[in-house]
Amino acid sequence: MATAQEKATTSCCTSTKSSSAAAAAATEVLHDWSVATVSNPPQDPINKRATMSSLIRPVESLNDPSPPNTNSAKGITMMARAQTSHPLDPLTAAEISVAVATVRAAGATPEVRDSMRFVEVVLLEPDKQVVALADAYFFPPFQPSLLPRTKGGPVIPTKLPPRKARLIVYNKKSNETSIWVVELSEVHAATRGGHHRGKVISSKVVPNVQPPMDAVEYAECEALVKAFPPFQEAMKKRGIEDMDLVMVDPWCAGYHSEADAPSRRLAKPLIFCRTESDCPIENGYARPVEGIHVLVDMQNMVVIEFDDRKLVPLPPADPLRNYTAGESRGGVDRSDVKPLQIIQPEGPSFRVNGHFVQWQKWNFRIGFTPREGLVIYSVAYVDGSRGRRPVAHRLSFVEMVVPYGDPNDPHYRKNAFDAGEDGLGKNAHSLKKNCDCLGFIKYFDAHFTNFTGGVETIENCVCLHEEDHGILWKHQDWRTGLAEVRRSRRLSVSFICTVANYEYGFFWHFYQDGKIEAEVKLTGILSLGALQPGEVRKYGTTIAPGLYAPVHQHFFVARMDMAVDCKPGETFNQVVEVNVKVEEPGKDNVHNNAFYAEEELLRSELQAMRDCNPLTARHWIIRNTRTVNRTGQLTGYKLVPGSNCLPLAGSEAKFLRRAAFLKHNLWVTPYARDEMYPGGEFPNQNPRVGEGLATWVKQNRSLEETNIVLWYVFGVTHIPRLEDWPVMPVDRIGFMLMPHGFFNCSPAVDVPPSSSDLDLKDNGITAKPIQNGLLAKL
């Protein structure tokens, strides 16, 4: 991922403080680096600043051997040329090319090299101590306070360790999946033209798995099925001879029996058919083709099973089927919508330096992966004299499961793992200004590899912008008639992906009162089924003649590597569950009106398998065990659930073999580097029961004081409505992380937020009209 053309104010801030803080935890990973050390550093503040300045040196790039610049700003030496990439920056296009070329060159034979297919190339994220060191001394704004103090002098390397890439490679000839780690360096990253200048650190074959499917495979599968003579004959029976009208959506096979074992790479396509060949944006999902069974061997790209089981007529062409302007809801767009334009005449309030974002008192880094899409790193809040206070190390959506509730074929097989089987990031698309996002926008591009090892770029993939969010706080004195009000503004970071028929928008919102909100917006088009004349399905909604929408659910898993008030290396977090209890009638409740909040410490992983309970206002607090606010309360952030649900399938449902993590809304684990995906890294055709999160927690590790990772599972049950056709209106679900004693006084509700505490200024966002004629008349 790389920054697009700069459209926002950028800054390169330097810290106004210097410190003799040294990396105690970091020294373990620094032994093989070139380091400068100082023993018995002087205590005089001026001398201490001078000593620290002498230790901070620029990265000596082979491409830029110029001597370091000694110009200083407030005691911190500015580097002549900072290391090109922060340790958490996504891989550049050049780095991806080098990683691919390095692995391909390591193939034992020409046949092996030619058979390599590159499923994923991502940054191998470094240890947290390396990130802290980079933020402290190598990348502005310099934050030496990030590192803990030690008895000895500071240990500061003259350069950071090389970046590494992690690759998932599928061998098309042998049907083997392997994981490679390649070391990169600045000179390697600058290399272009396919030269294999990286260094292979490790490689291993992962047995009995299938990696995610790729867009190249999908296109090949569609072409294969449409050219298959028995399929063409089956379509002729349904009155279709023009194969250009046919849409073949290759769905992963999942795992229902040994026939789906990963010894073969399988797809079971769904078939749809347009009515017009000259309408490229026609809603082809309006005409599902029922009764045809196709099984494709994706390794050898051959049809291995075909059966025309049942002749179901294609649904008739629905005049309301399309979603383009002037064609939906009777062909009339709204004409009474006056123009509305969002402008910021003085520009945005955020500042961007590479992938580092500063806004109000928030700062964090933006990342992107092919599987998760948007990743938010190093989230912190700058709190007056207390300085930079960490909240979370890493936030992302790591899995998404969509099980369907219709037991009929083929719908019972619709159990998509859209992150693990396809990739949310790889299915992201370019965002359009004044449509997907409004206001003053900063875009970020995303780079990833395609199946054959080439590099593709999604321009304007991630959107960063400010939004007015109504009233943050207001109070009026009824005696004087005077009122005070504060507008709320939030910073939104988002991306949108399309997986077959559905669109998903993923948003992280940062608020001025210390809240963080995660939100998913669901929209797009329904995945439908065809009906026989006069037929009605119990497990769906009839939305047009011969057409019905099956009931289904959408589940999302947010992984939150928390660090509330913890510096790198500190493990001082725990999780407390809070429930509201009704006081028993008696002397303490003579009026029968008493209730109170009761806390329970979640001491172990098995105890921390929890579900939402709105009847008790249940929520969870991630608190620091060593830090208090001015009232002596432990500081923390609370996870406040939004609307939620659990799977409605029976406990023996086949998809729950791979998705046991859906059985609870909350899971808590201590941080482990290789525990990233709740269904395991390879859920595609996975025959293993409960792999991933449900297996990890059986260790029942202690959670009383550790590095906490929250796994929050939230979902929505979709009973389609007639109004959902042809366009599925936006449905919003999510959750909130809210300060709980994190500040001296809660800035959210309890105390009127002041402009000095929260930087709350007049909104600065002006609304002016702009015509929007794309809203259909309901």
Side-chain angles (χ1 to χ4, degrees):
M1 182 178 177
T3 55
Q5 180 180 0
E6 294 291 334
K7 301 174 185 176
T9 304
T10 61
S11 67
C12 185
C13 302
T14 57
S15 173
T16 59
K17 300 179 181 180
S18 61
S19 171
S20 60
T27 55
E28 297 180 3
V29 297
L30 300 183
H31 61 86
D32 58 343
W33 305 354
S34 172
V35 298
T37 60
V38 171
S39 59
N40 300 321
Q43 298 302 311
D44 179 74
I46 298 177
N47 290 335
K48 185 163 62 175
R49 286 197 296 269
T51 303
M52 184 60 61
S53 299
S54 67
L55 290 175
I56 302 175
R57 299 193 178 98
V59 177
E60 296 175 0
S61 168
L62 297 179
N63 294 333
D64 185 11
S66 56
N69 186 350
T70 58
N71 294 333
S72 62
K74 297 187 181 296
I76 298 295
T77 298
M78 291 297 294
M79 295 180 287
R81 182 173 181 269
Q83 184 148 329
T84 303
S85 296
H86 185 276
L88 291 178
D89 284 353
L91 295 179
T92 64
E95 287 176 316
I96 293 173
S97 295
V98 168
V100 167
T102 301
V103 169
R104 181 171 278 140
T109 65
E111 291 76 14
V112 170
R113 294 193 287 271
D114 291 342
S115 297
M116 286 181 173
R117 298 295 181 266
F118 295 86
V119 177
E120 181 179 284
V121 182
V122 297
L123 173 75
L124 181 62
E125 295 176 12
D127 293 334
K128 297 177 183 180
Q129 293 87 350
V130 174
V131 175
L133 192 66
D135 290 337
Y137 301 116
F138 285 83
F139 289 86
F142 302 114
Q143 303 167 78
S145 62
L146 283 179
L147 298 179
R149 293 180 178 274
T150 60
K151 294 181 180 180
V155 179
I156 308 170
T158 57
K159 63 179 179 180
L160 294 172
R163 282 157 59 86
K164 296 177 182 177
R166 185 177 188 270
L167 301 88
I168 298 176
V169 181
Y170 173 70
N171 189 297
K172 192 171 177 63
K173 184 175 182 179
S174 64
N175 194 35
E176 289 182 334
T177 299
S178 57
I179 296 176
W180 298 68
V181 175
V182 173
E183 182 179 286
L184 305 166
S185 71
E186 296 248 349
V187 65
H188 300 150
T191 302
R192 298 182 183 274
H195 300 295
H196 46 88
R197 298 292 299 279
K199 176 183 177 183
V200 174
I201 301 298
S202 66
S203 66
K204 65 176 180 179
V205 173
V206 185
N208 204 31
V209 300
Q210 284 294 337
M213 292 291 187
D214 186 84
V216 171
E217 292 180 291
Y218 288 156
E220 291 177 353
C221 180
E222 180 175 60
L224 170 72
V225 172
K226 289 165 68 170
F228 190 59
F231 176 78
Q232 294 178 349
E233 289 299 317
M235 293 305 298
K236 286 180 181 179
K237 293 180 183 178
R238 292 160 173 80
I240 302 298
E241 297 192 18
D242 184 359
M243 287 296 107
D244 289 337
L245 297 176
V246 178
M247 298 164 44
V248 179
D249 279 8
W251 281 53
C252 293
Y255 187 88
H256 293 78
S257 68
E258 186 59 26
D260 300 324
S263 56
R264 299 184 299 175
R265 186 166 175 79
L266 303 174
K268 296 193 174 181
L270 299 178
I271 314 299
F272 303 89
C273 187
R274 293 186 170 97
T275 59
E276 306 172 35
S277 60
D278 59 348
C279 183
I281 201 169
E282 180 189 353
N283 181 10
Y285 293 104
R287 302 182 78 200
V289 179
E290 293 269 7
I292 295 179
H293 167 78
V294 187
L295 181 64
V296 177
D297 179 340
M298 300 291 281
Q299 176 193 359
N300 302 299
M301 207 53 70
V302 295
V303 176
I304 54 178
E305 290 183 16
F306 181 86
D307 189 10
D308 190 356
R309 295 175 175 175
K310 184 179 181 181
L311 182 59
V312 180
L314 287 173
D318 185 349
L320 303 183
R321 70 187 181 279
N322 290 336
Y323 46 84
T324 49
E327 293 186 287
S328 59
R329 303 293 185 223
V332 179
D333 292 336
R334 289 180 177 175
S335 59
D336 59 345
V337 179
K338 301 299 182 182
L340 178 65
Q341 183 180 10
I342 306 299
I343 63 171
Q344 293 175 267
E346 297 182 14
S349 299
F350 59 77
R351 292 178 291 175
V352 179
N353 184 1
H355 291 83
F356 183 69
V357 177
Q358 294 172 289
W359 178 78
Q360 291 288 275
K361 295 179 180 292
W362 289 108
N363 58 74
F364 54 86
R365 289 190 172 275
I366 289 178
F368 199 88
T369 73
R371 181 168 183 154
E372 303 157 278
L374 177 64
V375 181
I376 307 292
Y377 296 107
S378 304
V379 180
Y381 191 90
V382 180
D383 185 21
S385 61
R386 299 189 69 162
R388 182 185 186 274
R389 303 179 66 185
V391 176
H393 175 71
R394 193 182 195 276
L395 306 173
S396 71
F397 292 94
V398 288
E399 192 52 272
M400 174 182 157
V401 183
V402 187
Y404 279 67
D406 188 338
N408 296 287
D409 188 45
H411 307 290
Y412 77 92
R413 282 189 170 274
K414 293 180 179 178
N415 303 295
F417 286 61
D418 287 332
E421 291 179 342
D422 291 283
L424 301 177
K426 292 187 76 169
N427 285 284
H429 44 76
S430 297
L431 303 175
K432 301 297 187 292
K433 187 174 176 63
N434 293 329
C435 191
D436 293 303
C437 306
L438 294 176
F440 196 105
I441 302 166
K442 165 65 180 174
Y443 288 113
F444 297 84
D445 297 345
H447 304 299
F448 59 92
T449 182
N450 58 28
F451 209 41
T452 57
V455 180
E456 297 186 6
T457 298
I458 304 175
E459 295 182 348
N460 295 355
C461 183
V462 172
C463 171
L464 173 74
H465 72 290
E466 294 175 285
E467 296 177 340
D468 177 84
H469 196 63
I471 294 176
L472 173 64
W473 174 85
K474 180 176 182 176
H475 178 68
Q476 178 169 310
D477 189 323
W478 64 270
R479 293 178 177 83
T480 64
L482 298 178
E484 276 290 323
V485 63
R486 305 280 190 269
R487 295 294 297 177
S488 175
R489 192 188 299 195
R490 68 184 185 184
L491 183 69
S492 179
V493 194
S494 64
F495 81 103
I496 300 174
C497 67
T498 301
V499 186
N501 53 293
Y502 252 102
E503 263 73 20
Y504 300 94
F506 296 88
F507 299 78
W508 291 94
H509 304 298
F510 296 85
Y511 290 84
Q512 292 170 301
D513 60 356
K515 296 195 302 284
I516 304 173
E517 181 183 21
E519 182 182 33
V520 180
K521 297 181 182 180
L522 301 82
T523 183
I525 301 174
L526 296 166
S527 181
L528 307 173
L531 298 172
Q532 296 277 14
E535 183 184 7
V536 176
R537 284 284 174 88
K538 177 181 179 180
Y539 307 101
T541 303
T542 301
I543 59 175
L547 196 63
Y548 85 106
V551 295
H552 57 280
Q553 295 181 289
H554 301 259
F555 290 100
F556 306 88
V557 184
R559 180 183 181 274
M560 294 168 277
D561 183 355
M562 303 301 294
V564 179
D565 265 341
C566 285
K567 293 180 180 180
E570 295 181 345
T571 56
F572 301 146
N573 281 180
Q574 60 183 200
V575 179
V576 173
E577 180 174 284
V578 180
N579 288 281
V580 172
K581 296 294 183 74
V582 176
E583 186 67 79
E584 294 291 334
K587 65 177 182 178
D588 293 329
N589 190 18
V590 295
H591 303 291
N592 288 319
N593 69 314
F595 60 92
Y596 60 96
E598 182 178 80
E599 294 186 356
E600 180 184 6
L601 175 64
L602 302 182
R603 299 180 181 277
S604 66
E605 291 178 284
L606 293 180
Q607 184 188 0
M609 298 158 55
R610 309 297 297 163
D611 297 326
C612 296
N613 186 357
L615 298 180
T616 65
R618 179 173 293 170
H619 59 273
W620 299 275
I621 300 173
I622 309 94
R623 67 186 182 191
N624 188 290
T625 59
R626 307 292 181 91
T627 307
V628 297
N629 61 18
R630 70 176 181 179
T631 64
Q633 297 173 318
L634 294 174
T635 61
Y637 259 77
K638 63 181 179 181
L639 170 62
V640 181
S643 60
N644 209 334
C645 63
L646 289 169
L648 295 173
S651 59
E652 300 302 315
K654 298 297 184 181
F655 77 91
L656 287 177
R657 289 177 58 99
R658 302 185 292 150
F661 53 87
L662 297 184
K663 295 180 179 179
H664 296 286
N665 296 129
L666 183 79
W667 306 71
V668 187
T669 61
Y671 171 78
R673 185 180 179 88
D674 58 347
E675 295 181 2
M676 280 295 299
Y677 306 112
E681 182 160 21
F682 301 103
N684 187 14
Q685 298 178 236
N686 183 6
R688 294 167 293 280
V689 178
E691 185 175 75
L693 190 52
T695 298
W696 302 332
V697 299
K698 291 179 181 179
Q699 303 171 72
N700 204 24
R701 292 165 290 189
S702 172
L703 302 174
E704 293 195 43
E705 191 176 57
T706 186
N707 188 341
I708 292 294
V709 177
L710 292 180
W711 310 76
Y712 182 61
V713 182
F714 61 105
V716 60
T717 301
H718 191 183
I719 310 299
R721 306 166 298 169
L722 293 176
E723 292 77 9
D724 291 348
W725 182 248
V727 177
M728 216 286 285
V730 175
D731 197 357
R732 296 173 173 86
I733 56 175
F735 61 93
M736 189 81 74
L737 288 168
M738 299 181 65
H740 184 85
F742 190 77
F743 304 102
N744 286 332
C745 294
S746 169
V749 177
D750 301 334
V751 179
S754 68
S755 58
S756 60
D757 288 341
L758 293 175
D759 289 348
L760 301 182
K761 301 176 181 177
D762 186 54
N763 191 298
I765 301 178
T766 305
K768 290 186 177 180
I770 186 171
Q771 186 63 39
N772 183 351
L774 296 181
L775 293 177
K777 184 176 181 180
L778 297 175

